[in-house]
Amino acid sequence: MMKVLAFILAASVAQAWSPAPLDSKSTRRGFLEQSIATTAGAVAMVGNAESASAVPAVGAKAPAFELPSSRGDGSATSLSNLVNSGKWTVLYFYPGAFTSGCTLEAKYFQRDLEQYRTFNAQIVGVSVDPPEKNAQFCSSVGLDFFMLSDIGGAVSKLYGSALSIPGFGSFSNRQTYLIDPKGNIRWVFTDVESRIPTHSKEVLDKLAELTA
């Protein structure tokens, strides 16, 4: 298994490589974090990682949380805040900001944002990245929705979305949850990694079905 992880990490480093010189500790650290987060997504796709807990059942109450937001005002957002808005919530977990897969996924959600609004739905992302990095990610990609920082992965564990990779730490698996205005989990997408280009459409189709 470790040989497989080493191979995937090497491939991920190549994928994340930028020709810009790595002339500072912060840049090198960011490059390594990006490579490892890319590895987390790849490992999840081939099944060589351990999930910390079971995915909550459809129909169950969504696990409560309160996490720092990327909105830059130092505020935190709770599940109660999202539910009290009276909207459906598309709560999606992703391995790491600025990685190629996570960037594509976010762009597809942004592309379809107006369609989500027609279903009275809001999009919120969750990763183990710090708020500052998520804020930079949202600004760089041009997102009109925000991200939450699950540092340590406690909320990811509650949602069955935590990935533990030996030697690399914990990340959020790429999974999406549809939570209705009453706070109930109405659908869970667990095999997102292999369907990133079509995932947003899948979510919209399921929202159309659930709100019909």
Side-chain angles (χ1 to χ4, degrees), residues 40-41 44-45 49-57 89-96 102 105 109 123-127 155-163 171-179 185 187-196 199 202-203:
M45 186 166 62
E50 296 179 357
S51 180
S53 58
V55 174
T89 299
V90 178
L91 187 70
Y92 83 95
F93 291 75
Y94 62 97
C102 297
E105 184 178 25
F109 278 132
I123 299 172
V124 180
V126 181
S127 75
V155 174
S156 297
K157 291 177 183 177
L158 287 176
Y159 279 79
S161 290
L163 284 177
F171 299 86
S172 299
N173 194 7
R174 200 183 305 282
Q175 296 180 175
T176 301
Y177 302 75
L178 298 186
I179 302 173
I185 294 178
W187 198 259
V188 182
F189 297 88
T190 56
D191 182 22
V192 177
E193 191 68 43
S194 63
R195 303 199 306 271
I196 292 175
H199 180 53
E202 290 178 325
V203 176

Side-chain angles (χ1 to χ4, degrees), residues 8-171:
I8 293 175
L9 178 59
S12 300
V13 169
Q15 180 184 27
W17 170 253
S18 167
L22 302 180
D23 55 1
S24 71
K25 290 183 179 179
S26 61
T27 303
R28 291 176 186 275
R29 185 181 302 111
F31 174 71
L32 180 59
E33 289 174 351
Q34 180 176 339
S35 300
I36 293 173
T38 301
T39 300
V43 168
M45 186 166 62
V46 299
N48 284 299
E50 296 179 357
S51 180
S53 58
V55 174
V58 171
K61 284 291 184 181
F65 61 80
E66 185 173 22
L67 293 172
S69 167
S70 65
R71 287 178 287 193
D73 55 4
S75 66
T77 296
S78 67
L79 176 66
S80 294
N81 296 146
L82 299 176
V83 170
N84 290 340
S85 71
K87 298 179 180 180
W88 284 75
T89 299
V90 178
L91 187 70
Y92 83 95
F93 291 75
Y94 62 97
F98 293 105
T99 59
S100 58
C102 297
T103 300
L104 283 174
E105 184 178 25
K107 284 183 175 180
Y108 286 127
F109 278 132
Q110 176 65 33
R111 178 198 64 189
D112 298 335
L113 189 57
E114 288 305 317
Q115 295 183 63
Y116 284 99
R117 288 171 176 165
T118 66
F119 291 113
N120 190 36
Q122 58 193 337
I123 299 172
V124 180
V126 181
S127 75
V128 300
D129 296 308
E132 298 78 11
K133 185 173 182 179
N134 275 333
Q136 294 169 0
F137 180 55
C138 290
S139 176
S140 175
V141 181
L143 304 179
D144 294 320
F145 53 90
F146 62 91
M147 308 299 192
L148 301 177
S149 294
D150 182 25
I151 298 173
V155 174
S156 297
K157 291 177 183 177
L158 287 176
Y159 279 79
S161 290
L163 284 177
S164 179
I165 303 177
F168 301 115
S170 296
F171 299 86

